[in-house]
Amino acid sequence: MKKIIPAILFAFLFTCVNNEDFSIPDISTEDPIIPESNITTFSAIKSLYEQAVNNGNSTAKIYSDTDLYIEGYVISTDKYGNFFEELIIQNKTDDSNPDNDPRLGFSISINASSLSDTYQIGQKIYVKMNDLTLGESNGVITIGKGNAAEVEQIQASEYQDIILRTNEIADISPKIAGFETLTSADLNTLIKLENMQLNRYEKGRTFSAESFDEFDGFRLLESCETGVSTFLQTSTFADFNALVVPQGQGHITGVFSRDFGDDFNVLIVNSSEDVNFENTNRCDPAEWECGLAETLGASNLLYQDFEDQSNNRFVEIEGWTNYIETGTEAWEGYSSTSSNASLGRSCRFQCASSGDVSNIGWLITPAINLDEHDGETLRFKTSNSLADSSFMEVLYSQDWDGNEATITTANWGVFADAYIVQDTDSFATWFNSGTIDLSCQAGTLYIAFKFTGGGIDSFDGIYELDEISVDYVD
């Protein structure tokens, strides 16, 4: 049934609206007046939380005799469904003067939706900190209500009295960085990663609408410059969850964060438009083409279980190459009976506390002659201890000359069918690589186990390697 506007109401509307001006009403308000003496810094608030943690507490409650505010800028939006009941704010519009005024960010937990109707990306706000609580939620520092045990949400009835909006909408310049250089200080801030692409095994997948996606979808991104990988996290409730992630390479901008379980680093975009992979020239490495073998040979050509190596000493095996490309660490002997036990004695790469920005290490087998036997195969086992976005690759070369000086200039491909423990795999479990078929190629082959990580806390994982075996049929 059509609705009929009463004549008196129509007349009222007609007389109240200028027929030459049908623009959207101005809903701006006067900016809040906050004395400078009442404004504190993100650094000061973060220090209060860190002091509380050092004193054995899990949260810090803000007490002040006067009104106390922080001044920041909104960098998230729930408009497209990828953020929910939270605002991410940072203290600066860009990354200038990082030494004197480090760029920092907080998450604000709010029991309300459609926050983007009130707070736009770039909007300058003031947060009244009196009686608010800081704690860690999902691995990032979060502001809310709460007590000494946990952070609770700010309720819908009060958040606009706590988070004061101004009329200033600033342009936010994301920090342009390599993922391997980011630290925990960059969490809850806007990051731009350049020369990135979706991992080749993820091609054709949606942001988060696959059958295995539950609550969030995780898609592996990789740098075309360093090979460093990270996860793109997208809510299954995002408006763009069913779109296919762009297949080329380019740049991506999002909030640097942690996954829900606080197990690994992620990048969270505000919308699909933040993924700009328009360059169709991908940087995928060459892949070994033999696939997996159906038959495992009974004879052994090469076997290494590292039992004769010394704990915490660099691996030294005749014919093998243990090469440090960057940093001060290398593959070392390792033995443990703890929850992440080794297989007797194993080999590991550990860069935690190395003090190095970057650690890249190669462990390369002796030359393997594929012309002497038939049915050659490769097997090994891997495990990790909180990989923290560091990663391991298993590579091959058929043109390396055996000299350390030419390792990085030789052509190296990847054993795409070999399984290597992932950041998302269970802690303390050993994973079999599968039986990789080597028999479809001829000539001399070198196999390299390459670790990439660093001493900073977001990139300082540990990988273990053991029971490397090359077998053949006759």
Side-chain angles (χ1 to χ4, degrees), residues 171-358:
D171 291 328
I172 306 297
S173 298
K175 177 179 179 178
I176 300 175
F179 198 78
E180 69 280 5
T181 67
L182 301 178
T183 72
S184 59
D186 293 297
L187 292 169
N188 287 327
T189 65
L190 201 63
I191 301 296
K192 182 178 181 179
L193 304 177
E194 297 182 319
N195 299 316
M196 300 292 293
Q197 68 177 22
L198 186 70
N199 182 276
R200 59 194 179 281
Y201 301 126
E202 304 268 26
K203 289 177 65 177
R205 288 181 176 171
T206 60
F207 279 87
S208 58
E210 305 303 320
S211 59
F212 50 79
D213 292 326
E214 184 177 0
F215 302 112
D216 292 293
F218 296 96
R219 302 294 178 260
L220 191 62
L221 304 175
E222 60 188 9
S223 167
C224 287
E225 292 184 352
T226 64
V228 171
S229 300
T230 187
F231 285 102
L232 170 66
Q233 176 179 312
T234 307
S235 170
T236 54
F237 296 99
D239 294 351
F240 54 93
N241 76 315
L243 297 179
V244 174
V245 181
Q247 310 291 288
Q249 66 160 297
H251 64 267
I252 179 172
T253 301
V255 176
F256 180 46
S257 190
R258 299 282 289 175
D259 74 297
F260 183 80
D262 189 23
D263 294 317
F264 48 87
N265 299 316
V266 297
L267 195 73
I268 307 174
V269 296
N270 281 299
S271 76
S272 60
E273 294 183 357
D274 294 328
V275 184
N276 295 277
F277 293 167
E278 298 177 353
N279 185 344
T280 57
N281 296 318
R282 290 175 56 88
C283 58
D284 298 327
E287 295 184 6
W288 190 258
E289 298 178 351
C290 302
L292 297 178
E294 297 181 0
T295 303
L296 175 65
S299 302
N300 184 258
L301 182 61
L302 179 149
Y303 183 78
Q304 185 53 245
D305 61 6
F306 305 101
E307 291 297 330
D308 61 349
Q309 297 300 295
S310 299
N311 280 351
N312 306 314
R313 300 290 296 273
F314 290 172
V315 167
E316 294 184 2
I317 306 172
E318 184 176 356
W320 289 66
T321 302
N322 190 4
Y323 173 66
I324 299 173
E325 180 179 338
T326 65
T328 58
E329 300 298 322
W331 288 94
E332 64 182 13
Y334 169 68
S335 180
S336 173
T337 57
S338 64
S339 59
N340 59 330
S342 54
L343 301 177
R345 183 170 282 111
S346 303
C347 173
R348 74 171 179 180
F349 201 109
Q350 174 178 265
C351 57
S353 303
S354 67
D356 301 318
V357 174
S358 174

Side-chain angles (χ1 to χ4, degrees), residues 31-167:
D31 284 349
I33 300 175
I34 310 294
E36 286 292 330
S37 59
N38 288 55
I39 301 174
T40 188
T41 65
F42 278 47
S43 295
I45 293 297
K46 184 180 180 183
S47 294
L48 290 175
Y49 169 67
E50 292 172 341
Q51 291 172 22
V53 171
N54 291 336
N55 290 331
N57 300 310
S58 58
T59 64
K61 193 164 186 176
I62 306 301
Y63 297 99
S64 177
D65 294 333
T66 60
D67 290 343
L68 186 67
Y69 297 86
I70 56 174
E71 175 185 283
Y73 298 87
V74 176
I75 60 170
S76 68
T77 178
D78 59 9
K79 182 177 181 180
Y80 306 100
N82 207 25
F83 288 90
F84 179 68
E85 296 189 348
E86 67 175 335
L87 281 181
I88 311 297
I89 64 171
Q90 66 182 45
N91 59 340
K92 301 168 63 177
T93 60
D94 55 35
D95 195 39
S96 61
N97 300 320
D99 295 328
N100 298 326
D101 182 22
R103 192 187 56 141
L104 296 173
F106 296 131
S107 171
I108 307 177
S109 182
I110 306 169
N111 185 19
S113 58
S114 300
L115 294 170
S116 57
D117 292 345
T118 306
Y119 309 103
Q120 301 179 46
I121 291 179
Q123 191 130 38
K124 181 180 177 180
I125 62 170
Y126 294 97
V127 182
K128 188 177 181 180
M129 298 300 298
N130 300 63
D131 297 322
L132 295 184
T133 297
L134 279 84
E136 191 172 285
S137 178
N138 303 336
V140 297
I141 298 179
T142 301
I143 297 173
K145 290 299 187 77
N147 48 46
E150 60 184 356
V151 177
E152 299 172 355
Q153 289 186 308
I154 298 172
Q155 295 304 305
S157 60
E158 59 183 341
Y159 74 86
Q160 293 191 52
D161 295 325
I162 294 173
I163 306 167
L164 308 182
R165 185 182 69 173
T166 74
N167 292 312

